[in-house]
Amino acid sequence: MDNPDSTLPRSEHFTLEVLADGVYAALAIPQRGARSNAGIVDLGDGALVFDTMLTPQAAIDLRNAAERLTGGPVRYVVNSHRHLDHVMGNAVFPAEAQVISTARTRQLLLKHGPESIRTQRQMRPQSELELREMQDQLAAEDDPARREALHEAIQTSTLILEAVARWKLRAPNWTFEKNLAVYGSRRAAEVICLGGGHTESDAILVVPEAGVAFVADLLFQGQHPWAGDGHLAEWQRILGEIEALDLRAIVPGHGPLAGPADLGAMRDYLTMLEDQVAALVAAGGGLEEGATPIVPEPYQALGGPDRFTRGVRVLAERAISAQKPEPKKSNGQAST
Ligand SMILES: [Zn+2]
């Protein structure tokens, strides 16, 4: 937790970075409650917050940080896309704050959100059991490294269990289609939707005067992206359009700060993913036989390899069912 600027608010969930005057990134600390990165923009007469993290505990720190950094209330909260780790903190922001997303993201959140929350709550007994098992393991463990890892896993599980119990879905109340510009007394910010790549609808936040963009999950740094809800060709097109903007710094949805070159690297990754999906589709029966795609050499150091495996399988399954003229549910695998 090396925070170079000791005057910045601190949180156990994220590290704040100053990107430009009045523009801050809140970078999630791994294994804590944030899970995804967020942004704070000082508009001059209040704050705009971009994405609200996974847990209310992290979101409370985010709200406090925004209020302290800007000396004003949070007036706008923007949700980049429908995934819970970007929206579940919405409820802790002031009731007067406008919660903004694309119209499609609002629809998708209302469609999938309650079910996702229910699923997480149904998993609670299982999660509590796993937590108790880890506590037993910790009590019996002597190796310091394994004790440290177990201790961290226990902390994370405890945080998530608490969060799931407290979750309240607050849907965006203000929607837009393509662009929304917010003009504050000191600076302006633009919310832009270039279509759907990572999900059916993805919005980014650009602070033009600073050359900064918050691109959420259109960019993952140092880890495999989740692509199972995405559209790979559209995703690559959108990254190309972001590359054409005049940007100095880019805040990804997950991982450390990035620059324009990382957008190209992400496109290369998605090309690789397309090839993997095509290979699995060509193998046809591979899915039923449980074929596991192997992470190619240059990407083996990335975190979250299960996202790669699941993503390739989900996208291949979708491509195969799209090829069939009459989609018949084969083995009860419901896909959304
Ligand atoms: Zn996402």
Side-chain angles (χ1 to χ4, degrees), residues 54-79:
L54 178 71
T55 66
Q57 301 96 312
I60 288 168
D61 284 4
L62 186 65
R63 176 185 168 169
N64 289 338
E67 288 171 352
R68 255 192 64 193
L69 288 167
T70 65
V74 175
R75 294 177 57 199
Y76 306 100
V77 170
V78 177
N79 290 152

Side-chain angles (χ1 to χ4, degrees), residues 36-60:
S36 66
N37 298 332
I40 298 168
V41 179
D42 183 356
L43 296 167
D45 43 3
L48 180 149
V49 169
F50 181 76
D51 278 349
T52 60
M53 304 177 160
L54 178 71
T55 66
Q57 301 96 312
I60 288 168

Side-chain angles (χ1 to χ4, degrees), residues 194 235-245 247 263 267:
L194 298 164
W235 194 337
Q236 290 173 80
R237 174 190 62 77
I238 292 168
L239 288 170
E241 289 195 33
I242 299 172
E243 267 180 298
L245 302 173
L247 297 172
L263 298 169
R267 276 199 297 163

Side-chain angles (χ1 to χ4, degrees), residues 81 83 85-86 198-199 217 220 226 254:
H81 66 292
H83 287 153
D85 55 336
H86 297 257
H198 168 68
T199 61
D217 289 1
F220 280 62
W226 168 239
H254 298 267

Side-chain angles (χ1 to χ4, degrees), residues 309-326:
T309 315
R310 276 193 301 134
V312 170
R313 289 177 65 86
V314 167
L315 291 171
E317 196 174 322
R318 199 192 299 159
I320 288 169
S321 62
Q323 284 170 357
K324 294 176 189 162
E326 285 290 315

Side-chain angles (χ1 to χ4, degrees), residues 67-210:
E67 288 171 352
R68 255 192 64 193
L69 288 167
T70 65
V74 175
R75 294 177 57 199
Y76 306 100
V77 170
V78 177
N79 290 152
S80 60
H81 66 292
R82 71 161 173 95
H83 287 153
L84 296 190
D85 55 336
H86 297 257
V87 304
M88 287 316 292
N90 286 0
V92 314
F93 286 87
E96 309 79 59
Q98 307 295 340
V99 183
I100 299 168
S101 77
T102 66
R104 187 65 186 136
T105 289
R106 180 186 142 87
Q107 281 174 352
L108 290 167
L109 183 58
L110 291 173
K111 181 177 166 196
H112 298 287
E115 179 61 32
S116 305
I117 293 169
R118 218 173 300 129
T119 306
Q120 293 282 333
R121 291 203 169 127
Q122 279 163 359
M123 282 160 58
R124 197 182 163 93
Q126 178 62 26
S127 309
E128 282 172 341
L129 193 70
E130 284 166 9
L131 181 62
R132 278 199 296 278
E133 280 171 9
M134 285 193 290
Q135 283 162 338
D136 290 346
Q137 281 171 30
L138 180 64
E141 183 61 66
D142 290 325
D143 180 72
R146 279 202 293 266
R147 280 188 66 84
E148 176 65 27
L150 273 166
H151 183 69
E152 214 159 72
I154 288 168
Q155 273 192 324
T156 306
S157 298
T158 308
L159 253 170
I160 302 296
L161 274 168
E162 258 176 55
V164 170
R166 285 168 62 182
W167 267 350
K168 226 174 84 196
L169 184 63
R170 177 177 175 186
N173 65 302
W174 189 352
T175 65
F176 70 101
E177 293 293 331
K178 288 188 172 158
N179 285 67
L180 179 77
V182 179
Y183 298 94
S185 61
R186 201 172 299 149
R187 63 182 53 80
E190 276 179 54
V191 194
I192 303 170
C193 174
L194 298 164
H198 168 68
T199 61
E200 245 184 81
S201 182
D202 299 302
I204 65 169
L205 178 77
V206 180
V207 185
E209 65 162 36

Side-chain angles (χ1 to χ4, degrees), residues 2-5 7-11 14-19 24-27 29 38-40 53 61-62 64-66 69:
D2 51 334
N3 200 332
D5 188 341
T7 61
L8 290 173
R10 281 166 166 270
S11 167
F14 54 81
T15 309
L16 287 169
E17 298 253 1
V18 184
L19 303 176
Y24 310 87
L27 301 173
I29 293 171
I40 298 168
M53 304 177 160
D61 284 4
L62 186 65
N64 289 338
L69 288 167

